[in-house]
Amino acid sequence: AANAALVQQFRDPDKSLLLTAVRQTGALKMPMGGARLSEAKIADLSEWIKNGDWARIQECTAEALALLD
C-alpha cells in the first residue's frame, strides 16, 4: 500500500521511486540482491504507473519480491 501511494503521488513513470528501484538506476534497487526484472516487465510497470493500474503494480511488486526467495 505504501508503494502504491508513492506511485500514485506522481503518475509519472520518470518520477516514480518504485520504478527507479525496479530499473535499478539509483541507490535503491529492487529486488534487492535479486535478479533484475525483464525489460518487458519494467515497461509494463511503467505503463501501469502512467495509467494508475494499482492492482497490476502490486502484482508486479509481489513478483519482484518473490525473486528474493
Side-chain angles (χ1 to χ4, degrees):
N3 288 338
L6 259 174
V7 173
Q8 189 174 19
Q9 191 174 28
F10 302 111
R11 282 206 181 202
D12 180 348
D14 294 328
K15 294 180 182 176
S16 166
L17 179 59
L18 175 61
L19 193 56
T20 298
V22 170
R23 286 179 175 151
Q24 298 189 357
T25 56
L28 179 62
K29 308 240 186 288
M30 185 179 167
M32 188 168 51
R36 187 172 185 257
L37 294 178
S38 70
E39 288 300 321
K41 289 184 180 185
I42 292 172
D44 286 344
L45 180 57
S46 178
E47 193 64 26
W48 300 331
I49 290 169
K50 188 167 32 174
N51 295 328
D53 191 347
W54 312 124
R56 296 292 290 153
I57 291 166
Q58 289 175 334
E59 181 181 308
C60 185
T61 302
E63 184 176 325
L65 291 172
L67 292 174
L68 294 174
D69 291 338

